[in-house]
Amino acid sequence: MNKEILTMRNIIKSYHMADEEQIILKGVNLKVYDGEFISILGPSGSGKSTMMNIIGCLDTPTSGEYILSDRKIGELDQIELAHIRSKEIGFIFQSFQLLPRLSAIENVELPMIYAGVAPGERIKRAQTMLERVGLENKTKHYPNQLSGGQQQRVAIARALSTNPTILLADEPTGALDQKTGNQVMGLFSELNKEGRTIIMITHDVNVAKTAGRIVRILDGNLYDEVAEND
Amino acid sequence: MIKESIKMSWQNIVHNKMRSFLTTLGIVIGVTAIIALVTIVQGVTGEITSQFSSLGAGKITVQAYGTPLKQGLSDNDLKKLMEMENISGISPTLSMEASVVKNASVEEDVAVEGKNQVYFQNNTDLIVRGRALNKIDMENKNKVGIINQSLEETLFFGEDSVGQTMQINGITYTVVGVLDENAINDVTAMMARSSGEGSDGKVIIPYTAAMSIAGVSNISSFEVLIADTNKTDQVIEDTKLILNQAFNYKENSYNIINMESLLDTMNTMTNMMTAMMAGIASIALLVGGIGIMNMMLVSVTERTTEIGLRKALGAEPKRIQLQFLIESIFLSLLGGTIGVLLGVGISWVVTAALGITFVMSTWAIALGFGFSAAVGIVFGWAPARRASNLNPIDALRSV
């Protein structure tokens, strides 16, 4: 078995809302190994988004232990979390989240700017990443000149640019038609075959099936065969 | 890192051209006002100062009204004054109006001034032709006079008047020199020129002769020329002592005007005025700053998602803060630059229209730039801080 790169032990996340405590995650356990492609499948309101926020180090758990690449995330401050996100996580969003005033290549360069990659190296890597997702002819295009599928591929190139430990995708096909959605999923499979670890959050069973492993989340509880067998 | 932040800020400003322009307008107006006001006021002040100092540098003017029994200073008093230390001379003045006749031409109401040789020593470029008055003229009450060019024009019809004669109040005087009108720089001459009153003609004769014409035996107006301006106060004290003795310490018997102290007072006043005007203009800057802050707050709200995304992509809070801060500094410096250009332009036009020398005030420009940068930092701080403190989850959720 490959190296464990992500471990969650009894993660609880609760929010105070209108004088009552709402428990969103009720003791989640999860292990992800290097090179895995895993889908977190659940309906809306199940705690999916909270899961993604915690995995993506945008949020910290109320209690429990989250270890990413041998570091305890719960103990880190905002600045350290920013560094972790920069180094470990490549985000892919449902609505692509490209900056409209930047060209495709500039969008891909953005995370590398924050990671402190030198300009020359940055452009070279951005070029390579765009080639990898098949958009070498669109580098100077702006998001509004690209189709949805192309925009999502730019977003994938952006997520890959810092060579992160995990690709974290949140409903990556949610804003795409079935055909382009399938193309994007095909790209995900290829990337996974190249050894990339991918965590995908979705409500769509068919999309989730692309992954090698599916964990279901329902009402704040995670049902994971692998974890349970562990 | 700074370079990218600057680039991103610039893109945002350019993208919102109209809004950026309107936002910077407050700063533009403030800086323009400061620079134009300061430059114009300084120009005017400089002009007045230079005129005043040409009138009164290195001398004090004394009006000796005297007492009912003794209206003015006697020869003896003047002698005492002339013996004071640290002076280069005493220049008495006796002004009157008289009619001047040459052959059949009569010129009424000509300004006749009695002066002594000291007056000419101190104003060497007064004489265009002929000679100045000298000590012998004074002692002998010589009937000689120096006329100005416009009187020469009317009485001698453009002929060279030196050596010819004329009658002042019926007494025959010989013209020994011609005066350059523009070289006369004293308060009365200037006032006469600017008000345009009286005849243009002017004659200067020995003050001793003038006393005879006027039928007076006392001098009530004179200037003390100071040899060493550092000793001005001492000279004033000495003058007071002599005048007090002459008039038996009677109050209000004389008045000493020291141009330098007048000039000092005036400078203090104009400096205060400049500061006050700059202060008023700064209010415009303050309002401009609030405008920038408002725009930046709107911008932060508008770009909540963008901020969230940038954070998700690994931007540290201080990076976000820096970007917004740079943006607001950019905006205000942009306004500052436009303001400086406008301010300099306006003051150039105004000074040209007023006929004043245009002096670019570097400190006003520095002040304009400094102020606008400060406004950018101060009023950009809070919005930038707010942006950097945004929770990336909340920011991304607002999609």
Side-chain angles (χ1 to χ4, degrees):
Chain A
M1 177 117 332
N2 275 339
K3 186 175 167 282
E4 233 173 72
I5 54 167
L6 181 157
T7 309
M8 285 181 151
R9 284 199 198 100
N10 201 24
I11 295 284
I12 293 172
K13 183 68 186 178
S14 58
Y15 291 105
H16 287 281
M17 275 175 154
D19 289 342
E20 74 181 283
E21 196 173 28
Q22 261 194 320
I23 305 171
I24 309 293
L25 296 179
K26 300 167 180 168
V28 168
N29 291 294
L30 179 68
K31 278 180 182 166
V32 178
Y33 297 90
D34 190 23
E36 262 195 311
F37 184 177
I38 162 172
S39 285
I40 297 176
L41 177 66
S44 53
S46 58
K48 259 189 328 190
S49 297
T50 308
M51 257 313 264
M52 140 139 178
N53 289 339
I54 290 175
I55 292 172
C57 300
L58 293 168
D59 205 351
T60 47
T62 311
S63 73
E65 199 173 42
Y66 174 33
I67 300 164
L68 178 65
S69 293
D70 303 326
R71 293 187 71 172
K72 286 187 182 175
I73 300 305
E75 293 164 2
L76 304 176
D77 63 19
Q78 279 299 321
I79 296 164
E80 287 168 316
L81 283 178
H83 290 160
I84 294 277
R85 288 195 293 268
S86 174
K87 195 164 157 275
E88 309 279 355
I89 314 283
F91 282 97
I92 295 158
F93 301 95
Q94 177 173 359
S95 49
F96 326 133
Q97 297 284 12
L98 300 177
L99 291 185
R101 290 201 279 287
L102 302 183
S103 66
I105 193 158
E106 285 170 333
N107 264 293
V108 177
E109 280 181 62
L110 201 55
M112 291 191 278
I113 291 174
Y114 295 134
V117 180
E121 168 72 7
R122 215 159 63 203
I123 292 165
K124 221 167 71 190
R125 251 154 82 176
Q127 199 83 39
T128 314
M129 292 306 152
L130 283 171
E131 270 170 41
R132 175 65 195 84
V133 299
L135 289 174
E136 59 271 22
N137 298 325
K138 308 276 186 192
T139 55
K140 299 281 181 226
H141 285 58
Y142 285 85
N144 60 6
Q145 298 168 316
L146 298 170
S147 71
Q150 287 169 334
Q151 287 187 53
Q152 192 59 300
R153 279 190 279 160
V154 172
I156 292 168
R158 179 178 67 189
L160 289 169
S161 69
T162 50
N163 193 24
T165 314
I166 298 171
L167 267 194
L168 183 59
D170 180 19
E171 301 278 10
T173 60
L176 302 174
D177 61 48
Q178 185 145 21
K179 191 172 157 235
T180 31
N182 287 341
Q183 283 170 356
V184 166
M185 291 325 296
L187 183 58
F188 272 37
S189 298
E190 282 175 39
L191 290 170
N192 178 240
K193 281 197 192 92
E194 289 166 13
R196 188 71 60 185
T197 311
I198 301 171
I199 301 176
M200 180 171 67
I201 288 153
T202 184
H203 69 281
D204 188 333
V205 186
N206 291 325
V207 171
K209 276 177 182 162
T210 321
R213 173 179 158 208
I214 300 174
V215 292
R216 287 171 188 273
I217 185 165
L218 205 63
D219 201 21
N221 291 305
L222 202 66
Y223 302 96
D224 177 7
E225 310 91 61
V226 178
E228 280 157 13
N229 297 343
D230 195 36
Chain B
M1 173 164 156
I2 297 266
K3 209 178 129 199
E4 273 87 29
S5 296
I6 289 174
K7 195 182 160 200
M8 287 179 206
S9 306
W10 181 246
Q11 280 171 334
N12 280 317
I13 289 170
V14 170
H15 182 78
N16 293 312
K17 276 192 200 75
M18 190 62 185
R19 197 164 76 173
S20 302
F21 171 72
L22 289 176
T23 307
T24 56
L25 209 54
I27 302 285
V28 170
I29 293 169
V31 173
T32 305
I34 286 186
I35 289 185
L37 283 177
V38 168
T39 312
I40 293 168
V41 168
Q42 277 192 340
V44 172
T45 313
E47 196 72 9
I48 295 172
T49 309
S50 74
Q51 283 191 358
F52 259 78
S53 53
S54 76
L55 295 179
K59 64 185 174 190
I60 57 175
T61 306
V62 181
Q63 302 290 333
Y65 319 118
T67 61
L69 289 175
K70 187 185 182 190
Q71 295 173 334
L73 294 170
S74 66
D75 268 352
N76 206 19
D77 297 328
L78 280 178
K79 271 197 194 100
K80 276 190 201 160
L81 284 166
M82 285 172 193
E83 282 160 10
M84 286 195 298
E85 281 178 8
N86 302 316
I87 64 167
S88 60
I90 301 286
S91 168
T93 302
L94 204 134
S95 302
M96 63 190 128
E97 284 184 348
S99 61
V100 179
V101 181
K102 166 66 186 173
N103 298 337
S105 315
V106 181
E107 190 71 10
E108 298 284 353
D109 299 334
V110 175
V112 176
E113 280 182 7
K115 300 273 190 191
N116 70 354
Q117 73 282 0
V118 175
Y119 179 70
F120 296 94
Q121 282 163 11
N122 202 44
N123 300 286
T124 45
D125 51 355
L126 274 179
I127 305 293
V128 258
R129 263 178 287 124
R131 66 164 176 91
L133 298 179
N134 56 36
K135 208 175 172 185
I136 299 160
D137 294 327
M138 303 303 141
E139 285 166 0
N140 298 342
K141 300 186 185 179
N142 282 346
K143 306 269 181 297
V144 293
I146 293 167
I147 63 174
N148 69 349
Q149 283 163 314
S150 71
L151 193 63
E152 183 180 48
E153 191 68 33
T154 43
L155 288 185
F156 296 93
F157 305 108
E159 274 179 60
D160 188 358
S161 60
V162 176
Q164 303 207 49
T165 57
M166 60 187 175
Q167 279 84 39
I168 299 174
N169 277 8
I171 304 163
T172 304
Y173 276 73
T174 310
V175 177
V176 293
V178 179
L179 211 53
D180 181 2
E181 275 166 273
N182 298 320
I184 302 170
N185 261 328
D186 60 45
V187 185
T188 42
M190 271 193 46
M191 276 175 3
R193 263 209 296 269
S194 59
S195 65
E197 274 173 27
S199 154
D200 291 336
K202 178 172 178 167
V203 185
I204 296 177
I205 58 175
Y207 80 98
T208 45
M211 283 163 82
S212 307
I213 293 179
V216 296
S217 54
N218 295 320
I219 287 292
S220 55
S221 172
F222 64 94
E223 284 173 349
V224 180
L225 305 171
I226 294 157
D228 180 357
T229 46
N230 292 325
K231 299 268 170 62
T232 306
D233 290 342
Q234 184 58 47
V235 172
I236 290 174
E237 286 310 309
D238 292 346
T239 310
K240 277 182 181 171
L241 195 70
I242 293 168
L243 290 171
N244 281 334
Q245 284 170 357
F247 299 129
N248 286 326
Y249 295 89
K250 199 163 180 352
E251 274 178 40
N252 299 326
S253 57
Y254 62 89
N255 182 24
I256 298 179
I257 301 164
N258 178 8
M259 279 294 183
E260 254 170 275
S261 71
L262 257 182
L263 218 59
D264 283 349
T265 319
M266 209 177 66
N267 277 340
T268 324
M269 263 169 55
T270 48
N271 282 346
M272 262 171 60
M273 221 168 73
T274 312
M276 229 170 66
M277 283 184 168
I280 293 168
S282 313
I283 295 172
L285 267 185
L286 188 77
V287 175
I290 294 168
I292 285 194
M293 182 152 151
N294 189 34
M295 149 109 174
M296 293 310 296
L297 284 173
V298 169
S299 185
V300 169
T301 312
E302 260 181 3
R303 282 150 65 188
T304 303
T305 318
E306 180 190 324
I307 295 163
L309 174 75
R310 287 178 187 275
K311 285 196 161 185
L313 296 183
E316 287 176 34
K318 71 165 193 243
R319 266 308 286 263
I320 304 283
Q321 189 174 0
L322 184 72
Q323 196 195 323
F324 277 87
L325 204 56
I326 286 177
E327 208 168 310
S328 79
I329 293 172
F330 242 31
L331 272 175
S332 52
L333 274 185
L334 196 73
T337 310
I338 299 173
V340 165
L341 292 176
L342 266 180
V344 169
I346 287 175
S347 37
W348 189 80
V349 170
V350 170
T351 48
L354 291 177
I356 302 165
T357 17
F358 169 73
V359 182
M360 192 117 103
S361 165
T362 40
W363 76 263
I365 290 171
L367 191 80
F369 268 120
F371 242 126
S372 50
V375 161
I377 293 170
V378 169
F379 290 95
W381 187 263
R385 183 107 195 115
R386 172 184 277 206
S388 76
N389 283 339
L390 274 181
N391 185 340
I393 308 160
D394 297 335
L396 280 170
R397 193 182 289 148
S398 69
V399 183

